[in-house]
Amino acid sequence: MDTDQISEDGIHRPIRKISKRRRNLLVVVDGSPESKVAIRFAAARASHITGGGLILFHCIRPGEFQHWVAVADRMREEAQEEARLLMDDVAERLYNYCGVRPEIVIREGDPKEELKKYMDATSDIFGLVLGAGPEGDPGPLVDYFAHQHTGELSCPVMLIPGTMTYDQVDEMA
């Protein structure tokens, strides 16, 4: 049962027992410079969150497989292999950086739609971390999640400027 507590500033705040649960930050891995900064930020933050974890999300675009069936199947296999190698490399570097062993998610389809579907189906996401392009257009995922679908999300969206350096990220962590 919740009870109220009066803080020093005179505001009533409910006292709640906080249950232990997994609280994952979700970050997109796409190889862009702004994605790399966002990944580092997410990893550093995840290492400081009680029960925190990190989910690395990568999406293979379907338009890359518009050939004959045998060729398309081989291209799909190669894209899956490349994605797995990329994600394993990023995961290992992040573990060495902050001690968090991330979960890897690879999907095939439109990145915006697949990321939204994944978020809708996953209940332990604490926040979505996106890197914003350093100039002009911030990027399609930022536009999609920070403008068009913000009100539909069940977690905060953290936008990391693509102009930040690793040193700046490390100072914040």
XYZ file of all heavy atoms in Angstrom, residues 37-92:
439
model
N 28.061 7.084 -31.572
C 28.029 7.929 -30.373
C 26.841 7.531 -29.491
O 26.967 7.435 -28.267
C 27.976 9.430 -30.749
C 27.799 10.293 -29.519
C 29.239 9.830 -31.502
N 25.689 7.278 -30.101
C 24.502 6.864 -29.344
C 24.733 5.528 -28.644
O 24.314 5.334 -27.497
C 23.288 6.785 -30.269
N 25.413 4.611 -29.314
C 25.712 3.302 -28.728
C 26.589 3.469 -27.490
O 26.337 2.862 -26.444
C 26.400 2.384 -29.764
C 25.425 2.030 -30.882
C 26.963 1.137 -29.103
C 26.093 1.462 -32.121
N 27.600 4.297 -27.590
C 28.497 4.513 -26.452
C 27.743 5.144 -25.285
O 27.913 4.756 -24.135
C 29.680 5.375 -26.860
C 30.747 5.440 -25.770
C 32.015 6.017 -26.319
N 33.066 6.083 -25.352
C 34.180 5.376 -25.418
N 34.350 4.514 -26.397
N 35.124 5.536 -24.518
N 26.890 6.126 -25.597
C 26.090 6.766 -24.560
C 25.182 5.739 -23.879
O 25.106 5.666 -22.657
C 25.253 7.906 -25.151
C 24.362 8.565 -24.139
C 24.840 9.615 -23.368
C 23.059 8.143 -23.954
C 24.028 10.224 -22.416
C 22.231 8.739 -23.022
C 22.717 9.784 -22.249
N 24.478 4.944 -24.672
C 23.555 3.944 -24.127
C 24.296 2.935 -23.254
O 23.799 2.547 -22.184
C 22.811 3.243 -25.258
N 25.461 2.499 -23.699
C 26.243 1.530 -22.921
C 26.677 2.126 -21.592
O 26.576 1.477 -20.538
C 27.456 1.077 -23.724
N 27.155 3.356 -21.621
C 27.591 4.008 -20.388
C 26.423 4.181 -19.422
O 26.550 3.935 -18.220
C 28.227 5.361 -20.705
N 25.272 4.574 -19.938
C 24.090 4.756 -19.080
C 23.606 3.412 -18.544
O 23.237 3.297 -17.379
C 22.957 5.452 -19.836
C 23.222 6.872 -20.231
C 23.664 7.841 -19.127
N 23.036 7.648 -17.850
C 23.676 7.735 -16.661
N 24.952 8.019 -16.619
N 23.039 7.556 -15.546
N 23.578 2.393 -19.379
C 23.111 1.077 -18.941
C 23.957 0.544 -17.793
O 23.436 -0.109 -16.883
C 23.112 0.091 -20.107
N 25.237 0.849 -17.814
C 26.120 0.350 -16.755
C 25.852 1.052 -15.426
O 26.270 0.561 -14.382
C 27.586 0.511 -17.162
O 27.956 1.879 -17.170
N 25.139 2.181 -15.451
C 24.849 2.931 -14.226
C 23.409 2.746 -13.734
O 23.038 3.302 -12.711
C 25.105 4.423 -14.459
C 26.549 4.762 -14.535
N 27.344 4.384 -15.584
C 27.360 5.428 -13.697
C 28.575 4.822 -15.388
N 28.616 5.456 -14.252
N 22.603 1.993 -14.440
C 21.213 1.792 -14.065
C 21.096 0.478 -13.297
O 21.549 -0.560 -13.783
C 20.300 1.738 -15.314
C 20.325 3.073 -16.055
C 18.876 1.362 -14.926
C 19.612 3.028 -17.406
N 20.509 0.525 -12.120
C 20.292 -0.704 -11.363
C 19.391 -1.620 -12.175
O 18.310 -1.235 -12.583
C 19.628 -0.384 -10.005
O 20.473 0.508 -9.293
C 19.414 -1.658 -9.206
N 19.875 -2.810 -12.435
C 19.122 -3.753 -13.261
C 19.187 -3.409 -14.735
O 18.430 -3.932 -15.535
N 20.111 -2.530 -15.087
C 20.186 -2.047 -16.465
C 20.818 -3.026 -17.418
O 21.713 -3.781 -17.065
N 20.325 -2.983 -18.621
C 20.864 -3.795 -19.693
C 20.833 -2.995 -20.978
O 20.354 -1.864 -21.017
N 21.329 -3.583 -22.012
C 21.431 -2.902 -23.288
C 20.984 -3.848 -24.392
O 21.379 -5.013 -24.417
C 22.886 -2.470 -23.517
C 23.204 -1.664 -24.755
C 22.463 -0.331 -24.758
C 24.707 -1.414 -24.845
N 20.159 -3.335 -25.278
C 19.713 -4.099 -26.439
C 20.233 -3.380 -27.677
O 19.935 -2.205 -27.896
C 18.179 -4.197 -26.509
C 17.617 -4.859 -25.254
C 17.762 -4.969 -27.771
C 16.104 -4.775 -25.135
N 21.014 -4.089 -28.477
C 21.507 -3.565 -29.744
C 20.563 -4.036 -30.841
O 20.343 -5.230 -30.999
C 22.916 -4.087 -30.027
C 23.992 -3.798 -28.987
C 25.308 -4.473 -29.387
C 24.183 -2.304 -28.796
N 20.018 -3.089 -31.591
C 19.031 -3.403 -32.620
C 19.589 -3.042 -33.991
O 20.057 -1.931 -34.211
C 17.749 -2.603 -32.362
C 16.641 -2.902 -33.326
C 15.710 -3.876 -33.030
C 16.532 -2.218 -34.521
C 14.676 -4.158 -33.915
C 15.508 -2.486 -35.417
C 14.577 -3.462 -35.119
N 19.523 -3.996 -34.909
C 19.971 -3.761 -36.282
C 18.901 -4.284 -37.230
O 18.334 -5.351 -36.995
C 21.299 -4.473 -36.556
C 21.805 -4.287 -37.944
N 22.404 -3.126 -38.371
C 21.791 -5.115 -39.013
C 22.744 -3.258 -39.640
N 22.389 -4.454 -40.054
N 18.641 -3.530 -38.286
C 17.625 -3.950 -39.247
C 18.230 -4.001 -40.649
O 18.885 -3.051 -41.086
C 16.441 -2.986 -39.210
S 15.004 -3.639 -40.062
N 18.001 -5.100 -41.314
C 18.439 -5.289 -42.696
C 17.271 -4.895 -43.586
O 16.175 -5.426 -43.455
C 18.837 -6.756 -42.954
C 19.957 -7.169 -42.002
C 19.240 -6.956 -44.410
C 20.197 -8.668 -41.961
N 17.515 -3.971 -44.473
C 16.451 -3.486 -45.359
C 16.095 -4.547 -46.397
O 16.975 -5.142 -47.018
C 16.892 -2.213 -46.062
C 17.140 -1.071 -45.127
C 17.682 0.138 -45.877
N 18.166 1.143 -44.969
C 17.401 2.070 -44.405
N 16.119 2.110 -44.678
N 17.911 2.952 -43.579
N 14.801 -4.751 -46.646
C 14.385 -5.801 -47.585
C 14.671 -5.460 -49.039
O 14.805 -6.361 -49.853
C 12.880 -5.910 -47.356
C 12.486 -4.573 -46.862
C 13.664 -4.079 -46.051
N 14.806 -4.215 -49.391
C 15.050 -3.815 -50.770
C 16.348 -4.343 -51.329
O 16.570 -4.324 -52.536
N 17.204 -4.835 -50.459
C 18.495 -5.352 -50.885
C 18.381 -6.737 -51.529
O 19.349 -7.265 -52.034
C 19.442 -5.410 -49.678
C 19.694 -4.044 -49.059
C 20.427 -4.133 -47.740
O 20.896 -5.215 -47.365
O 20.523 -3.093 -47.069
N 17.194 -7.343 -51.517
C 17.036 -8.718 -51.986
C 16.032 -8.822 -53.130
O 15.246 -9.749 -53.178
C 16.587 -9.618 -50.835
C 17.393 -9.455 -49.590
C 16.792 -9.041 -48.421
C 18.747 -9.691 -49.588
C 17.524 -8.882 -47.265
C 19.491 -9.531 -48.434
C 18.878 -9.126 -47.277
N 16.063 -7.924 -54.073
C 15.083 -7.916 -55.161
C 15.635 -8.595 -56.418
O 15.609 -8.035 -57.501
C 14.676 -6.469 -55.481
C 14.086 -5.711 -54.320
C 12.759 -6.290 -53.878
O 12.005 -6.815 -54.680
N 12.476 -6.199 -52.591
N 16.141 -9.801 -56.292
C 16.720 -10.533 -57.419
C 16.052 -11.896 -57.534
O 15.111 -12.200 -56.829
C 18.236 -10.704 -57.215
C 18.953 -9.384 -57.091
N 19.197 -8.578 -58.169
C 19.439 -8.727 -56.010
C 19.835 -7.492 -57.769
N 19.985 -7.551 -56.468
N 16.575 -12.723 -58.416
C 16.069 -14.087 -58.536
C 16.116 -14.761 -57.171
O 16.932 -14.443 -56.324
C 16.900 -14.886 -59.539
C 16.846 -14.318 -60.925
C 15.752 -14.188 -61.725
C 17.948 -13.808 -61.673
N 16.094 -13.632 -62.924
C 17.459 -13.385 -62.924
C 19.309 -13.667 -61.413
C 18.263 -12.838 -63.900
C 20.113 -13.124 -62.401
C 19.578 -12.723 -63.621
N 15.291 -15.743 -56.982
C 15.137 -16.375 -55.679
C 16.469 -16.881 -55.123
O 16.816 -16.595 -53.985
C 14.094 -17.514 -55.748
C 14.034 -18.273 -54.433
C 12.735 -16.977 -56.126
N 17.226 -17.633 -55.906
C 18.491 -18.189 -55.405
C 19.481 -17.084 -55.060
O 20.165 -17.147 -54.037
C 19.098 -19.135 -56.445
N 19.562 -16.066 -55.906
C 20.466 -14.937 -55.648
C 19.985 -14.171 -54.419
O 20.783 -13.799 -53.544
C 20.559 -14.013 -56.886
C 21.386 -12.781 -56.571
C 21.153 -14.776 -58.068
N 18.679 -13.934 -54.332
C 18.118 -13.202 -53.191
C 18.371 -13.955 -51.887
O 18.725 -13.344 -50.873
C 16.624 -12.970 -53.396
N 18.217 -15.278 -51.910
C 18.457 -16.078 -50.709
C 19.917 -15.975 -50.271
O 20.208 -15.826 -49.085
C 18.091 -17.547 -50.941
C 16.593 -17.777 -50.994
O 15.824 -16.870 -50.586
O 16.186 -18.867 -51.455
N 20.823 -16.051 -51.233
C 22.251 -15.944 -50.902
C 22.583 -14.548 -50.369
O 23.332 -14.414 -49.405
C 23.110 -16.265 -52.147
C 24.581 -16.196 -51.896
C 25.015 -17.289 -50.906
N 26.405 -17.088 -50.590
C 26.916 -17.228 -49.383
N 26.178 -17.617 -48.385
N 28.185 -17.020 -49.174
N 22.014 -13.527 -50.989
C 22.238 -12.153 -50.513
C 21.695 -11.978 -49.094
O 22.314 -11.315 -48.255
C 21.591 -11.144 -51.458
C 22.302 -11.030 -52.799
S 21.482 -9.868 -53.901
C 21.869 -8.325 -53.104
N 20.542 -12.558 -48.812
C 19.949 -12.491 -47.473
C 20.870 -13.166 -46.450
O 21.109 -12.636 -45.370
C 18.573 -13.138 -47.481
C 17.837 -13.042 -46.160
C 16.423 -13.583 -46.226
N 15.570 -12.635 -46.931
C 15.028 -12.834 -48.137
N 15.239 -13.968 -48.785
N 14.274 -11.926 -48.696
N 21.392 -14.346 -46.801
C 22.309 -15.059 -45.909
C 23.564 -14.220 -45.643
O 24.025 -14.135 -44.497
C 22.711 -16.405 -46.514
C 21.621 -17.439 -46.516
C 22.004 -18.686 -47.307
O 23.202 -18.863 -47.636
O 21.094 -19.496 -47.594
N 24.121 -13.631 -46.696
C 25.312 -12.803 -46.533
C 25.019 -11.579 -45.667
O 25.834 -11.196 -44.823
C 25.850 -12.375 -47.898
C 26.498 -13.504 -48.664
C 26.924 -13.101 -50.072
O 26.725 -11.939 -50.467
O 27.459 -13.973 -50.786
N 23.862 -10.954 -45.875
C 23.482 -9.785 -45.071
C 23.315 -10.183 -43.607
O 23.732 -9.440 -42.701
C 22.198 -9.159 -45.615
N 22.737 -11.358 -43.362
C 22.582 -11.843 -41.984
C 23.950 -12.095 -41.347
O 24.173 -11.742 -40.187
C 21.737 -13.123 -41.958
C 20.271 -12.903 -42.200
C 19.557 -12.314 -40.994
O 20.037 -12.342 -39.869
N 18.377 -11.757 -41.245
N 24.862 -12.707 -42.106
C 26.215 -12.956 -41.605
C 26.932 -11.654 -41.272
O 27.559 -11.533 -40.219
C 27.044 -13.730 -42.646
C 26.811 -15.207 -42.672
C 27.671 -15.887 -43.737
O 28.874 -15.558 -43.856
O 27.123 -16.742 -44.457
N 26.867 -10.689 -42.195
C 27.503 -9.392 -41.969
C 26.909 -8.693 -40.755
O 27.635 -8.109 -39.943
C 27.348 -8.497 -43.206
C 28.197 -8.920 -44.372
C 27.915 -8.092 -45.624
O 27.330 -6.995 -45.519
O 28.284 -8.554 -46.717
N 25.593 -8.749 -40.627
C 24.931 -8.127 -39.483
C 25.374 -8.795 -38.182
O 25.661 -8.116 -37.190
C 23.415 -8.208 -39.637
N 25.429 -10.109 -38.177
C 25.842 -10.835 -36.970
C 27.279 -10.489 -36.599
O 27.592 -10.261 -35.425
C 25.685 -12.348 -37.195
C 26.149 -13.222 -36.057
C 25.554 -12.940 -34.724
N 24.128 -13.145 -34.694
C 23.373 -12.863 -33.648
N 23.904 -12.352 -32.553
N 22.083 -13.066 -33.667
N 28.184 -10.422 -37.582
C 29.575 -10.055 -37.309
C 29.667 -8.639 -36.750
O 30.398 -8.391 -35.783
C 30.424 -10.187 -38.578
C 30.713 -11.606 -39.057
C 31.397 -11.582 -40.426
C 31.577 -12.350 -38.045
N 28.940 -7.709 -37.360
C 28.922 -6.324 -36.880
C 28.436 -6.272 -35.438
O 29.068 -5.663 -34.570
C 28.017 -5.469 -37.769
C 27.672 -4.075 -37.238
C 28.898 -3.171 -37.247
C 26.535 -3.465 -38.044
N 27.320 -6.935 -35.167
C 26.726 -6.881 -33.834
C 27.608 -7.568 -32.795
O 27.740 -7.074 -31.674
C 25.336 -7.501 -33.865
C 24.376 -6.780 -34.800
S 24.053 -5.084 -34.310
C 22.676 -5.376 -33.218
N 28.200 -8.685 -33.146
C 29.094 -9.364 -32.212
C 30.307 -8.498 -31.885
O 30.746 -8.436 -30.730
C 29.557 -10.715 -32.775
C 28.462 -11.771 -32.760
O 27.435 -11.575 -32.074
O 28.631 -12.797 -33.460
N 30.846 -7.814 -32.902
C 31.982 -6.922 -32.692
C 31.601 -5.764 -31.780
O 32.315 -5.443 -30.827
C 32.501 -6.400 -34.040
C 33.678 -5.472 -33.871
O 34.705 -5.896 -33.278
O 33.584 -4.306 -34.330
N 30.470 -5.140 -32.048
C 30.003 -4.020 -31.213
C 29.759 -4.509 -29.787
O 30.167 -3.857 -28.822
C 28.736 -3.370 -31.812
C 28.114 -2.380 -30.839
C 29.057 -2.688 -33.134
N 29.119 -5.651 -29.642
C 28.822 -6.194 -28.315
C 30.098 -6.452 -27.521
O 30.172 -6.127 -26.322
C 28.009 -7.478 -28.440
N 31.089 -7.011 -28.159
C 32.351 -7.300 -27.472
C 33.055 -6.008 -27.041
O 33.557 -5.902 -25.923
C 33.265 -8.145 -28.362
C 34.513 -8.623 -27.669
C 34.235 -9.548 -26.485
O 33.218 -10.269 -26.496
O 35.039 -9.534 -25.533
